């Protein structure tokens, strides 16, 4: 399996699949916001940023998958998936154990050199409350689904990183 993951990490297809999967999840988030009229909270916006990081990792890895640049993609992938998992877990705890003393911010705080909420307010401006559960599917809230999604992204990223020293088997006509 590790040889297979190494082989996949050296091709553009797997990296583009990673980027497309994160893009599809972003489109679902925008569907929830603009079509279903659900209000994203600050934690939701930060979780979106983590998904954009995973999408960026897929793009970086797809640029030159056979070069050491893929290690930059893997590092960005692990960081974004780990941060997304941490944010989704904290958000889940806010929803499962609401408290008037532990709340999320009123507005997302982006660095002054990257004011995403000013550049793209329809995507990065928070209007909801972190403790409100707005959507549920198969008894799990949206944020609980994100915990699972980010955990899967992180697990696969770590496995791909572990697989890097395992060179793919060379196959020739005589199977040597």
């Amino acid at each position: 399996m590790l040889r297979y993951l190494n082989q996949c990490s050296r091709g553009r297809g797997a990296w583009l699949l990673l980027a497309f999967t994160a893009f599809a999840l972003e489109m679902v988030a925008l569907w929830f916001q603009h079509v279903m009229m659900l209000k994203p909270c600050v934690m939701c916006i930060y979780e979106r940023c983590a998904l954009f990081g995973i999408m960026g990792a897929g793009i970086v890895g797809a640029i030159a998958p056979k070069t050491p640049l893929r290690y930059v993609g893997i590092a960005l992938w692990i960081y974004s998936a780990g941060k997304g998992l941490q944010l989704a877990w904290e958000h889940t705890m806010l929803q499962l154990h609401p408290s008037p003393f532990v709340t999320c911010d009123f507005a997302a705080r982006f660095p002054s050199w990257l004011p995403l909420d000013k550049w793209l307010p329809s995507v990065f401006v928070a209007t909801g409350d972190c403790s409100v559960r707005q959507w549920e599917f198969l008894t799990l809230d949206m944020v609980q689904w994100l915990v699972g999604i980010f955990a899967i992204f992180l697990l696969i990223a770590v496995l791909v990183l572990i697989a890097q020293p395992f060179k793919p088997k060379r196959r020739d006509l005589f199977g040597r």
Side-chain angles (χ1 to χ4, degrees), residues 106-128:
F106 292 110
R109 288 184 267 156
F110 293 108
S112 60
W113 54 271
L114 190 69
L116 295 174
D117 53 340
K118 307 281 188 282
W119 292 346
L120 239 75
S122 61
V123 177
F124 294 108
V125 169
T127 56

Side-chain angles (χ1 to χ4, degrees), residues 110-165:
F110 293 108
S112 60
W113 54 271
L114 190 69
L116 295 174
D117 53 340
K118 307 281 188 282
W119 292 346
L120 239 75
S122 61
V123 177
F124 294 108
V125 169
T127 56
D129 182 9
C130 292
S131 62
V132 175
R133 299 175 74 169
Q134 300 182 56
W135 179 86
E136 191 175 285
F137 179 67
L138 297 176
T139 71
L140 294 177
D141 186 74
M142 185 184 312
V143 184
Q144 293 168 333
W145 280 103
L146 279 177
V147 168
I149 289 167
F150 281 121
I152 290 168
F153 274 133
L154 183 60
L155 175 66
I156 294 171
V158 168
L159 287 175
V160 167
L161 178 65
I162 292 170
Q164 291 310 298

Side-chain angles (χ1 to χ4, degrees), residues 169-176:
K169 283 186 179 177
R170 291 185 59 199
R171 299 184 187 258
D172 60 6
L173 185 60
F174 302 106
R176 292 182 188 177

Side-chain angles (χ1 to χ4, degrees), residues 65-79:
K66 290 182 174 35
T67 68
L69 185 62
R70 81 175 172 280
Y71 289 104
V72 174
I74 293 170
L76 181 59
W77 183 7
I78 289 173
Y79 175 77

